[in-house]
Amino acid sequence: MDVNSAVKLVLKKALAHDGLCRGLRETTRAIEKHQAQLCILAEDCDQPDYKKLVEALCAENNVNLLSVPEAKQLGQWAGLCKIDQEGEARKVVGCSSVVVTVSYAVLQLLKCAVMFVRWMDLKLAALQDYGEETEGHAVLQEYLKNKN
């Protein structure tokens, strides 16, 4: 599985678990609120200020940043399209940035888990989740480790 396939799989799972922010406004909000775990930026974005802003916010808040070749492709992976009867994507809307976040439900579960662990007087190392553990999640984590 290559990186693009892994990104597609992670975005699909994040979309299903309500853990996806799409577009500049949602992306910057999630990064500034420290909810972002992964940011994906389209390389063909025609506004350099847009790219600089997202890259700077990711660097400032220690958010992993990946890039994909096309905004239309990223929009399709992020669910910004209509699916016809044959299962083909139609009316795809381009998207220059997408952020994978921890959804509100997952945050509440994490808070409950932390309270339970403290109650049991145990120590909690680190809890991070993109939704479900998948092969795509593992490939992306390995890629990001090797990138740094």
Side-chain angles (χ1 to χ4, degrees), residues 32-77:
E32 288 175 344
K33 287 183 177 182
H34 303 287
Q35 295 174 340
Q37 293 191 358
L38 174 68
C39 182
I40 303 158
L41 188 63
E43 291 175 359
D44 67 346
C45 178
D46 56 352
Q47 296 182 7
D49 292 341
Y50 186 110
K51 290 175 87 169
K52 284 181 186 178
L53 173 65
V54 173
E55 289 169 351
L57 283 173
C58 287
E60 181 180 324
N61 292 295
N62 297 324
V63 175
N64 293 317
L65 180 66
L66 290 175
S67 59
V68 294
E70 297 178 12
K72 289 274 189 187
Q73 187 179 39
L74 185 57
Q76 181 180 348
W77 293 348

Short mmCIF file of all heavy atoms in Angstrom, two decimals, residues 32-77:
data_model
loop_
_atom_site.label_atom_id
_atom_site.label_comp_id
_atom_site.label_asym_id
_atom_site.label_seq_id
_atom_site.Cartn_x
_atom_site.Cartn_y
_atom_site.Cartn_z
N GLU A 32 -5.77 25.37 15.29
CA GLU A 32 -5.60 26.31 16.39
C GLU A 32 -6.20 25.80 17.70
O GLU A 32 -5.73 26.15 18.78
CB GLU A 32 -6.22 27.67 16.03
CG GLU A 32 -5.40 28.42 15.00
CD GLU A 32 -6.05 29.71 14.54
OE1 GLU A 32 -7.26 29.90 14.77
OE2 GLU A 32 -5.34 30.53 13.95
N LYS A 33 -7.22 24.96 17.62
CA LYS A 33 -7.83 24.38 18.82
C LYS A 33 -7.10 23.12 19.29
O LYS A 33 -7.54 22.47 20.22
CB LYS A 33 -9.29 24.04 18.56
CG LYS A 33 -10.20 25.23 18.46
CD LYS A 33 -11.63 24.77 18.28
CE LYS A 33 -12.58 25.93 18.25
NZ LYS A 33 -13.98 25.48 18.11
N HIS A 34 -6.02 22.79 18.61
CA HIS A 34 -5.20 21.60 18.94
C HIS A 34 -6.00 20.30 18.83
O HIS A 34 -5.76 19.36 19.58
CB HIS A 34 -4.59 21.73 20.34
CG HIS A 34 -3.76 22.95 20.51
ND1 HIS A 34 -2.52 23.09 19.93
CD2 HIS A 34 -4.00 24.11 21.17
CE1 HIS A 34 -2.03 24.28 20.23
NE2 HIS A 34 -2.92 24.92 20.97
N GLN A 35 -6.95 20.26 17.89
CA GLN A 35 -7.71 19.04 17.63
C GLN A 35 -7.15 18.28 16.44
O GLN A 35 -7.51 17.14 16.23
CB GLN A 35 -9.18 19.39 17.36
CG GLN A 35 -9.90 19.99 18.53
CD GLN A 35 -11.29 20.43 18.17
OE1 GLN A 35 -11.62 20.63 16.99
NE2 GLN A 35 -12.13 20.59 19.17
N ALA A 36 -6.29 18.92 15.66
CA ALA A 36 -5.78 18.31 14.43
C ALA A 36 -4.67 17.32 14.73
O ALA A 36 -3.80 17.57 15.55
CB ALA A 36 -5.26 19.40 13.50
N GLN A 37 -4.73 16.18 14.05
CA GLN A 37 -3.68 15.19 14.16
C GLN A 37 -2.90 15.06 12.87
O GLN A 37 -1.73 14.72 12.89
CB GLN A 37 -4.26 13.84 14.54
CG GLN A 37 -4.84 13.82 15.92
CD GLN A 37 -5.18 12.43 16.36
OE1 GLN A 37 -5.00 11.47 15.64
NE2 GLN A 37 -5.66 12.33 17.58
N LEU A 38 -3.56 15.33 11.76
CA LEU A 38 -2.94 15.19 10.45
C LEU A 38 -3.55 16.22 9.52
O LEU A 38 -4.77 16.36 9.47
CB LEU A 38 -3.16 13.78 9.90
CG LEU A 38 -2.71 13.50 8.47
CD1 LEU A 38 -1.19 13.54 8.39
CD2 LEU A 38 -3.21 12.14 8.02
N CYS A 39 -2.73 16.93 8.77
CA CYS A 39 -3.19 17.91 7.79
C CYS A 39 -2.72 17.47 6.42
O CYS A 39 -1.57 17.07 6.25
CB CYS A 39 -2.67 19.30 8.13
SG CYS A 39 -3.25 20.57 6.98
N ILE A 40 -3.61 17.56 5.44
CA ILE A 40 -3.28 17.19 4.07
C ILE A 40 -3.54 18.39 3.19
O ILE A 40 -4.63 18.95 3.20
CB ILE A 40 -4.11 15.97 3.61
CG1 ILE A 40 -3.85 14.81 4.58
CG2 ILE A 40 -3.75 15.58 2.20
CD1 ILE A 40 -4.91 13.78 4.59
N LEU A 41 -2.52 18.79 2.44
CA LEU A 41 -2.57 20.00 1.62
C LEU A 41 -2.38 19.63 0.16
O LEU A 41 -1.51 18.82 -0.16
CB LEU A 41 -1.46 20.95 2.08
CG LEU A 41 -1.38 22.35 1.53
CD1 LEU A 41 -2.63 23.14 1.91
CD2 LEU A 41 -0.16 23.06 2.08
N ALA A 42 -3.19 20.22 -0.72
CA ALA A 42 -3.07 19.96 -2.16
C ALA A 42 -1.92 20.78 -2.73
O ALA A 42 -1.79 21.97 -2.46
CB ALA A 42 -4.37 20.31 -2.87
N GLU A 43 -1.07 20.14 -3.52
CA GLU A 43 0.08 20.81 -4.12
C GLU A 43 -0.32 21.82 -5.19
O GLU A 43 0.38 22.78 -5.42
CB GLU A 43 1.04 19.78 -4.73
CG GLU A 43 1.73 18.93 -3.70
CD GLU A 43 2.57 17.83 -4.32
OE1 GLU A 43 2.59 17.71 -5.56
OE2 GLU A 43 3.19 17.08 -3.56
N ASP A 44 -1.46 21.59 -5.85
CA ASP A 44 -1.87 22.47 -6.93
C ASP A 44 -2.70 23.66 -6.46
O ASP A 44 -3.37 24.31 -7.26
CB ASP A 44 -2.60 21.70 -8.03
CG ASP A 44 -3.93 21.14 -7.58
OD1 ASP A 44 -4.20 21.12 -6.36
OD2 ASP A 44 -4.71 20.71 -8.46
N CYS A 45 -2.64 23.97 -5.19
CA CYS A 45 -3.33 25.14 -4.65
C CYS A 45 -2.70 26.39 -5.29
O CYS A 45 -1.48 26.58 -5.24
CB CYS A 45 -3.19 25.19 -3.13
SG CYS A 45 -3.95 26.62 -2.39
N ASP A 46 -3.53 27.25 -5.89
CA ASP A 46 -3.01 28.38 -6.65
C ASP A 46 -2.78 29.63 -5.81
O ASP A 46 -2.33 30.65 -6.32
CB ASP A 46 -3.94 28.70 -7.82
CG ASP A 46 -5.37 28.97 -7.38
OD1 ASP A 46 -5.67 28.75 -6.19
OD2 ASP A 46 -6.17 29.37 -8.22
N GLN A 47 -3.08 29.58 -4.50
CA GLN A 47 -2.87 30.75 -3.65
C GLN A 47 -1.72 30.47 -2.68
O GLN A 47 -1.86 29.70 -1.73
CB GLN A 47 -4.14 31.06 -2.88
CG GLN A 47 -5.28 31.46 -3.78
CD GLN A 47 -6.52 31.82 -3.00
OE1 GLN A 47 -6.50 31.91 -1.79
NE2 GLN A 47 -7.61 32.06 -3.71
N PRO A 48 -0.58 31.12 -2.89
CA PRO A 48 0.58 30.85 -2.04
C PRO A 48 0.36 31.25 -0.57
O PRO A 48 0.90 30.61 0.33
CB PRO A 48 1.70 31.67 -2.66
CG PRO A 48 1.06 32.60 -3.61
CD PRO A 48 -0.29 32.07 -3.96
N ASP A 49 -0.46 32.28 -0.33
CA ASP A 49 -0.74 32.69 1.05
C ASP A 49 -1.49 31.60 1.81
O ASP A 49 -1.27 31.38 3.00
CB ASP A 49 -1.56 33.98 1.07
CG ASP A 49 -0.77 35.17 0.57
OD1 ASP A 49 0.48 35.08 0.55
OD2 ASP A 49 -1.39 36.18 0.20
N TYR A 50 -2.38 30.92 1.12
CA TYR A 50 -3.16 29.82 1.69
C TYR A 50 -2.21 28.73 2.16
O TYR A 50 -2.29 28.26 3.31
CB TYR A 50 -4.09 29.30 0.59
CG TYR A 50 -5.08 28.24 0.99
CD1 TYR A 50 -6.44 28.54 1.03
CD2 TYR A 50 -4.70 26.94 1.26
CE1 TYR A 50 -7.38 27.58 1.35
CE2 TYR A 50 -5.62 25.97 1.59
CZ TYR A 50 -6.96 26.29 1.63
OH TYR A 50 -7.88 25.33 1.95
N LYS A 51 -1.28 28.33 1.28
CA LYS A 51 -0.33 27.28 1.62
C LYS A 51 0.58 27.70 2.76
O LYS A 51 0.85 26.92 3.69
CB LYS A 51 0.50 26.90 0.39
CG LYS A 51 -0.29 26.17 -0.67
CD LYS A 51 0.52 25.93 -1.90
CE LYS A 51 1.29 24.65 -1.78
NZ LYS A 51 1.91 24.24 -3.05
N LYS A 52 1.06 28.94 2.73
CA LYS A 52 1.94 29.43 3.78
C LYS A 52 1.24 29.41 5.14
O LYS A 52 1.84 29.05 6.15
CB LYS A 52 2.41 30.85 3.47
CG LYS A 52 3.47 30.93 2.41
CD LYS A 52 3.88 32.38 2.20
CE LYS A 52 4.84 32.51 1.03
NZ LYS A 52 5.20 33.92 0.78
N LEU A 53 -0.03 29.83 5.16
CA LEU A 53 -0.78 29.87 6.41
C LEU A 53 -0.93 28.46 7.00
O LEU A 53 -0.64 28.24 8.17
CB LEU A 53 -2.17 30.49 6.18
CG LEU A 53 -3.12 30.43 7.38
CD1 LEU A 53 -2.58 31.28 8.53
CD2 LEU A 53 -4.51 30.89 6.97
N VAL A 54 -1.36 27.53 6.17
CA VAL A 54 -1.57 26.17 6.66
C VAL A 54 -0.25 25.54 7.10
O VAL A 54 -0.17 24.91 8.16
CB VAL A 54 -2.27 25.30 5.58
CG1 VAL A 54 -2.34 23.85 6.00
CG2 VAL A 54 -3.67 25.84 5.30
N GLU A 55 0.81 25.73 6.31
CA GLU A 55 2.11 25.17 6.67
C GLU A 55 2.63 25.78 7.98
O GLU A 55 3.17 25.07 8.83
CB GLU A 55 3.12 25.40 5.54
CG GLU A 55 2.84 24.55 4.32
CD GLU A 55 3.66 24.94 3.09
OE1 GLU A 55 4.33 25.99 3.13
OE2 GLU A 55 3.61 24.19 2.11
N ALA A 56 2.45 27.08 8.15
CA ALA A 56 2.92 27.74 9.38
C ALA A 56 2.14 27.27 10.60
O ALA A 56 2.72 27.02 11.66
CB ALA A 56 2.81 29.26 9.23
N LEU A 57 0.82 27.15 10.46
CA LEU A 57 0.01 26.68 11.58
C LEU A 57 0.38 25.25 11.97
O LEU A 57 0.44 24.91 13.15
CB LEU A 57 -1.48 26.77 11.24
CG LEU A 57 -2.11 28.15 11.30
CD1 LEU A 57 -3.54 28.11 10.76
CD2 LEU A 57 -2.08 28.69 12.71
N CYS A 58 0.62 24.42 10.97
CA CYS A 58 1.01 23.03 11.25
C CYS A 58 2.36 22.98 11.97
O CYS A 58 2.54 22.22 12.92
CB CYS A 58 1.06 22.22 9.97
SG CYS A 58 -0.56 21.84 9.29
N ALA A 59 3.29 23.79 11.52
CA ALA A 59 4.61 23.82 12.15
C ALA A 59 4.52 24.35 13.59
O ALA A 59 5.15 23.81 14.49
CB ALA A 59 5.57 24.68 11.33
N GLU A 60 3.72 25.39 13.79
CA GLU A 60 3.58 26.00 15.11
C GLU A 60 2.91 25.06 16.10
O GLU A 60 3.25 25.04 17.28
CB GLU A 60 2.75 27.28 14.98
CG GLU A 60 2.55 28.03 16.28
CD GLU A 60 1.72 29.28 16.07
OE1 GLU A 60 1.85 29.93 15.02
OE2 GLU A 60 0.93 29.61 16.97
N ASN A 61 1.94 24.27 15.64
CA ASN A 61 1.16 23.41 16.52
C ASN A 61 1.56 21.94 16.45
O ASN A 61 0.84 21.08 16.95
CB ASN A 61 -0.33 23.56 16.20
CG ASN A 61 -0.83 24.93 16.57
OD1 ASN A 61 -0.86 25.30 17.73
ND2 ASN A 61 -1.21 25.71 15.56
N ASN A 62 2.70 21.66 15.83
CA ASN A 62 3.22 20.28 15.72
C ASN A 62 2.21 19.30 15.13
O ASN A 62 1.98 18.23 15.66
CB ASN A 62 3.69 19.78 17.09
CG ASN A 62 4.82 20.59 17.64
OD1 ASN A 62 5.69 21.04 16.88
ND2 ASN A 62 4.83 20.81 18.93
N VAL A 63 1.62 19.71 14.01
CA VAL A 63 0.67 18.85 13.30
C VAL A 63 1.39 18.28 12.08
O VAL A 63 2.06 19.01 11.35
CB VAL A 63 -0.57 19.66 12.86
CG1 VAL A 63 -1.51 18.80 12.02
CG2 VAL A 63 -1.30 20.22 14.07
N ASN A 64 1.26 16.98 11.88
CA ASN A 64 1.88 16.34 10.72
C ASN A 64 1.24 16.86 9.44
O ASN A 64 0.02 17.01 9.37
CB ASN A 64 1.70 14.83 10.79
CG ASN A 64 2.47 14.23 11.94
OD1 ASN A 64 3.60 14.60 12.18
ND2 ASN A 64 1.85 13.31 12.65
N LEU A 65 2.06 17.15 8.45
CA LEU A 65 1.59 17.72 7.19
C LEU A 65 1.99 16.82 6.03
O LEU A 65 3.16 16.46 5.90
CB LEU A 65 2.17 19.12 7.00
CG LEU A 65 1.78 19.88 5.74
CD1 LEU A 65 0.29 20.20 5.75
CD2 LEU A 65 2.58 21.16 5.61
N LEU A 66 1.01 16.45 5.23
CA LEU A 66 1.24 15.67 4.00
C LEU A 66 0.74 16.48 2.83
O LEU A 66 -0.09 17.37 2.99
CB LEU A 66 0.48 14.35 4.04
CG LEU A 66 0.95 13.29 5.01
CD1 LEU A 66 0.00 12.11 4.98
CD2 LEU A 66 2.34 12.83 4.65
N SER A 67 1.21 16.16 1.64
CA SER A 67 0.70 16.83 0.45
C SER A 67 0.28 15.78 -0.57
O SER A 67 0.86 14.71 -0.65
CB SER A 67 1.74 17.77 -0.14
OG SER A 67 2.90 17.06 -0.48
N VAL A 68 -0.77 16.13 -1.30
CA VAL A 68 -1.27 15.30 -2.40
C VAL A 68 -1.23 16.14 -3.66
O VAL A 68 -1.27 17.37 -3.60
CB VAL A 68 -2.70 14.77 -2.13
CG1 VAL A 68 -2.72 13.82 -0.96
CG2 VAL A 68 -3.68 15.89 -1.92
N PRO A 69 -1.15 15.51 -4.83
CA PRO A 69 -0.97 16.27 -6.07
C PRO A 69 -2.14 17.18 -6.45
O PRO A 69 -1.91 18.30 -6.87
CB PRO A 69 -0.78 15.19 -7.14
CG PRO A 69 -0.59 13.91 -6.43
CD PRO A 69 -1.07 14.08 -5.04
N GLU A 70 -3.38 16.73 -6.31
CA GLU A 70 -4.52 17.48 -6.86
C GLU A 70 -5.59 17.77 -5.82
O GLU A 70 -5.93 16.92 -5.01
CB GLU A 70 -5.17 16.69 -7.99
CG GLU A 70 -4.27 16.45 -9.18
CD GLU A 70 -4.95 15.62 -10.25
OE1 GLU A 70 -6.19 15.44 -10.18
OE2 GLU A 70 -4.26 15.16 -11.14
N ALA A 71 -6.16 18.99 -5.90
CA ALA A 71 -7.23 19.39 -5.01
C ALA A 71 -8.52 18.61 -5.31
O ALA A 71 -9.28 18.29 -4.40
CB ALA A 71 -7.49 20.89 -5.14
N LYS A 72 -8.77 18.31 -6.58
CA LYS A 72 -9.96 17.54 -6.95
C LYS A 72 -9.91 16.14 -6.33
O LYS A 72 -10.90 15.63 -5.82
CB LYS A 72 -10.09 17.42 -8.47
CG LYS A 72 -10.48 18.69 -9.15
CD LYS A 72 -11.97 18.86 -9.16
CE LYS A 72 -12.32 20.04 -10.06
NZ LYS A 72 -13.73 20.35 -9.98
N GLN A 73 -8.73 15.54 -6.37
CA GLN A 73 -8.54 14.21 -5.79
C GLN A 73 -8.76 14.26 -4.28
O GLN A 73 -9.45 13.41 -3.71
CB GLN A 73 -7.13 13.72 -6.11
CG GLN A 73 -6.85 12.30 -5.72
CD GLN A 73 -5.43 11.91 -6.11
OE1 GLN A 73 -4.50 12.71 -5.99
NE2 GLN A 73 -5.27 10.69 -6.58
N LEU A 74 -8.21 15.28 -3.62
CA LEU A 74 -8.39 15.44 -2.19
C LEU A 74 -9.86 15.68 -1.84
O LEU A 74 -10.37 15.13 -0.87
CB LEU A 74 -7.52 16.60 -1.68
CG LEU A 74 -7.51 16.83 -0.17
CD1 LEU A 74 -7.05 15.59 0.58
CD2 LEU A 74 -6.61 18.01 0.16
N GLY A 75 -10.54 16.47 -2.65
CA GLY A 75 -11.97 16.71 -2.44
C GLY A 75 -12.78 15.43 -2.55
O GLY A 75 -13.70 15.20 -1.76
N GLN A 76 -12.44 14.60 -3.52
CA GLN A 76 -13.14 13.32 -3.67
C GLN A 76 -12.90 12.42 -2.46
O GLN A 76 -13.84 11.83 -1.93
CB GLN A 76 -12.67 12.61 -4.94
CG GLN A 76 -13.37 11.30 -5.19
CD GLN A 76 -12.89 10.62 -6.47
OE1 GLN A 76 -12.20 11.21 -7.27
NE2 GLN A 76 -13.26 9.37 -6.62
N TRP A 77 -11.66 12.34 -2.02
CA TRP A 77 -11.34 11.50 -0.85
C TRP A 77 -12.02 12.02 0.42
O TRP A 77 -12.34 11.26 1.31
CB TRP A 77 -9.84 11.46 -0.63
CG TRP A 77 -9.07 10.74 -1.68
CD1 TRP A 77 -9.57 9.96 -2.69
CD2 TRP A 77 -7.66 10.76 -1.86
NE1 TRP A 77 -8.54 9.49 -3.47
CE2 TRP A 77 -7.36 9.96 -2.98
CE3 TRP A 77 -6.61 11.37 -1.18
CZ2 TRP A 77 -6.06 9.75 -3.43
CZ3 TRP A 77 -5.33 11.16 -1.63
CH2 TRP A 77 -5.05 10.36 -2.74
#
